[in-house]
Amino acid sequence: MAGGPKVAILGAGSVGCFIGGAWAAAGVPVTFIGRPKMAKDIDEHGLTLSDYSGWQARLAPGDVDYRCGPEGLEDAQVIALTVKSGGTADAAAEIARHASPGALVISLQNGVSNVDVLERGLGGRFEVARGVVPYNVAYLGNGRFHKGVAGDLYAERRAGARALADAVGTGPAALKLSDDMLGLAWGKLLINLNNAINALSGRTLLNELKQRDYRRVLAASMREGLDLLKRADIEPSASGGISPKTLPRIIDAPDWLFNNVFLQKWKIDAKARSSMADDLAAGRRTEIDYINGELVQLADSLQRSAPVNNAIVELVRKAEAGAEPLAPMALRKAVLG
């Protein structure tokens, strides 16, 4: 179905270009707003999208409306926010100055606190909805973006989101709607705890997950997170078919079982890395405060401790400062002793 609400992707990097590109390929009017370097690349090469299943789509340069200024917000009915979580307050100020009041703003960002930041910054003049992106997108250069992990895009059930979901239809960036977005956001955060493990490993997702010592650290961080959520009376939900409460047992399974059974069922291709790994490789500050750091903050609010996730936060800070990747046993010893 072609048409649908006018969409602006604010912060159109890897995730934003893939989602917006897939929506545009489905006939939805999309304006991309991002950095000059990405604008130059897409102006030369257009957008080429692909995923783990072999799906591909291409938009020629003349078919992509990519801008570096906020003017693209002016007539947007839906604003999909894909900026890094540290830029949420600045993005809210930009939306407040340039977008039309009443537009739907969907936070497609890591973490759980971005919606609160948006609501404070937008002062009730816009409709704010929580969204979840459960998959990884790799930027391969020359306008190419690859979705390397299975998963469905979710947004809070709102009228504007329903119109967009109907217009997008099925496909790699199909939009599902939910009334339990907070639960889904916490469930996704538990899965995203692997972002830091992957970044610290210096390996692809597949190579990292095949090593049990890496998985032991991940499982421990998940168990700590689940305990904190239980104490806070928060019920995380599954965006896929596996309950968050079951994940640590699966992750911590012996190599012969995990690699030959569970990992075979997860659709992760050889190109996939975490966004945090990409940030470290590019010398950018990571979103660790909005993933493992969210659990550390939750622990503080409960007057508890979160030693596993706090140790991971500290190791990522060292990696941001130039520390080398850690081998499986080295990471396990550094976090778990």
Side-chain angles (χ1 to χ4, degrees):
M1 174 180 174
K6 293 183 178 179
V7 175
I9 307 289
L10 182 56
S14 297
V15 168
C17 282
F18 181 87
I19 293 171
W23 290 351
V28 175
V30 177
T31 296
F32 301 81
I33 303 169
R35 299 181 183 277
K37 183 178 179 180
M38 191 67 76
K40 182 176 183 296
D41 183 30
I42 292 172
D43 186 55
E44 292 177 0
H45 302 285
L47 278 174
T48 300
L49 314 170
S50 59
D51 77 356
Y52 60 89
S53 72
W55 172 86
Q56 284 195 343
R58 185 174 187 279
L59 299 173
D63 295 329
V64 183
D65 181 12
Y66 198 108
R67 311 183 190 190
C68 299
E71 67 277 0
L73 294 170
E74 293 173 359
D75 60 352
Q77 297 163 284
V78 176
I79 300 167
L81 187 61
T82 56
V83 300
K84 295 291 185 181
S85 295
T88 303
D90 289 341
E94 196 164 71
I95 291 168
R97 284 195 300 268
H98 299 283
S100 299
L104 173 63
V105 181
I106 305 175
S107 169
L108 296 175
Q109 302 166 275
N110 284 327
V112 296
S113 58
N114 290 300
V115 166
D116 296 331
V117 176
L118 285 169
E119 287 179 339
R120 288 195 298 270
L122 296 176
R125 296 171 53 222
F126 296 82
E127 190 174 15
V128 178
R130 193 181 300 274
V132 164
V133 184
Y135 47 76
N136 160 275
V137 176
Y139 171 50
L140 305 178
N142 296 329
R144 296 175 298 147
F145 298 89
H146 181 76
K147 174 185 173 182
V149 179
D152 295 314
L153 192 66
Y154 276 86
E156 199 168 345
R157 196 182 306 278
R158 301 288 178 85
R162 166 56 64 192
L164 177 58
D166 289 344
V168 172
T170 60
L175 183 63
K176 294 190 174 183
L177 306 182
S178 173
D179 295 315
D180 182 30
M181 286 308 305
L182 185 60
L184 283 172
W186 276 110
K188 185 216 173 187
L189 185 141
L190 291 172
I191 294 171
N192 275 0
L193 294 174
N194 189 53
N195 282 13
I197 310 302
N198 180 246
L200 291 168
S201 77
R203 307 183 183 203
T204 66
L205 282 169
L206 270 178
N207 288 337
E208 170 242 320
L209 287 169
K210 287 179 179 179
Q211 302 297 321
R212 193 179 185 193
D213 277 338
Y214 286 141
R215 298 199 312 276
R216 283 173 169 160
V217 178
L218 174 59
S221 68
M222 287 179 167
R223 289 190 183 102
E224 185 174 86
L226 284 165
D227 179 65
L228 291 167
L229 292 174
K230 183 178 180 179
R231 292 177 183 277
D233 199 26
I234 297 169
E235 186 70 25
S237 301
S239 58
I242 302 175
S243 164
K245 296 176 183 178
T246 305
L247 268 174
R249 292 200 301 273
I250 293 174
I251 294 294
D252 204 15
D255 282 340
W256 67 266
L257 178 59
F258 182 85
N259 292 336
N260 295 313
V261 178
F262 299 124
L263 193 57
Q264 294 296 321
K265 294 181 180 180
W266 294 348
K267 297 174 181 177
I268 304 174
D269 69 24
K271 299 185 184 74
R273 294 178 183 269
S274 71
S275 58
M276 195 174 294
D278 290 340
D279 287 339
L280 283 183
R284 295 188 295 259
R285 188 175 177 85
T286 71
E287 292 185 292
I288 190 67
D289 288 338
Y290 301 91
I291 303 178
N292 304 72
E294 294 269 20
L295 291 173
V296 174
Q297 290 183 40
L298 179 61
D300 287 343
S301 72
L302 296 168
Q303 297 184 317
R304 308 288 299 184
S305 62
V308 174
N309 284 284
N310 191 66
I312 292 170
V313 170
E314 293 303 315
L315 287 172
V316 171
R317 289 279 174 258
K318 291 178 181 178
E320 289 174 338
E324 294 295 319
L326 292 167
M329 185 180 294
L331 181 63
R332 176 176 61 79
K333 289 183 176 180
V335 177
L336 304 181

